[in-house]
Amino acid sequence: MIPLATPRLDSDLIAESRARPEAFAALFDRYASMLYRYVSRRLGPEVAEDLVGETFLVAFRRRDRYDLARPDARPWLFGIVSKLVSRHHRDEAARYRALTRSPLDDVAESPAERVEDGVSATAVRPLLAAALARLSKGDRDVLLLVAWADLSYDEVAQSLGIPVGTVRSRLNRARRKVRESLGHTNPLRDEE
């Protein structure tokens, strides 16, 4: 039996890329689709590809400053992309306003996901979009990094350069405001 290779840590790839820049491509392969889905949900697919490319360009230029004690580069990359998304604040707000008028969303990854998402969330999508549009930028960033990027509280704190306590309070406030907008129901029955 041939032993399976252990995946290399992100920090090892970044360290190697300092001497051998082509090693950085492995991070792109590992995280580009994840970042694309996140940006696409926030701003739409029209700008997602450009922002993901810009994210990796910024990360590549800053790789010498990356803290190699952090083995996972996801929080770092999501921090970069969140800053880039914030430059498109008006676009994001317009997208949420458009979603309040339209129950359709083409972000789902497959036909099965599209059906599942459509069945469970179509009725509340306009309310959710309106609630997201009303959140402050900081609260919205925290909520969406947890919900859409699947980052832990520590990873969100690292991404945004804020204390974990701030992440917790922003997330609590964002969840409360979204719940109020949805009539204190959770149509997806996600555990918090």
Side-chain angles (χ1 to χ4, degrees), residues 56-190:
F56 281 97
L57 183 61
V58 169
F60 182 78
R61 288 179 181 156
R62 295 181 184 167
R63 72 190 188 282
D64 289 336
R65 292 184 272 169
Y66 182 78
D67 180 0
L68 297 175
R70 298 185 184 272
D72 183 2
R74 258 180 352 128
W76 179 56
L77 293 170
F78 274 103
I80 293 169
V81 82
S82 291
K83 286 179 182 139
L84 295 173
V85 165
S86 72
R87 294 181 188 163
H88 294 268
H89 177 71
R90 287 188 184 133
D91 297 337
E92 183 177 28
R95 179 166 172 75
Y96 292 138
R97 282 192 303 274
L99 285 173
T100 64
R101 296 184 299 272
S102 171
L104 300 175
D105 186 10
D106 59 357
V107 175
E109 297 170 19
S110 70
E113 284 180 297
R114 186 169 294 137
V115 169
E116 180 182 330
D117 288 349
V119 168
S120 63
T122 296
V124 296
R125 187 160 313 188
L127 294 172
L128 181 59
L132 290 173
R134 285 191 298 270
L135 292 176
S136 71
K137 178 199 167 313
D139 290 356
R140 185 172 45 245
D141 283 346
V142 168
L143 178 67
L144 298 180
L145 284 169
V146 169
W148 289 349
D150 223 16
L151 296 184
S152 69
Y153 292 4
D154 289 335
E155 291 169 330
V156 172
Q158 182 185 341
S159 292
L160 299 177
I162 58 176
V164 173
T166 303
V167 170
R168 291 180 190 283
S169 64
R170 287 181 182 177
L171 184 60
N172 182 45
R173 183 173 42 248
R175 285 178 170 164
R176 181 177 38 79
K177 288 179 179 181
V178 169
R179 261 191 236 106
E180 288 170 3
S181 295
L182 297 177
H184 297 283
T185 62
N186 185 347
L188 302 179
R189 294 188 179 95
D190 286 336

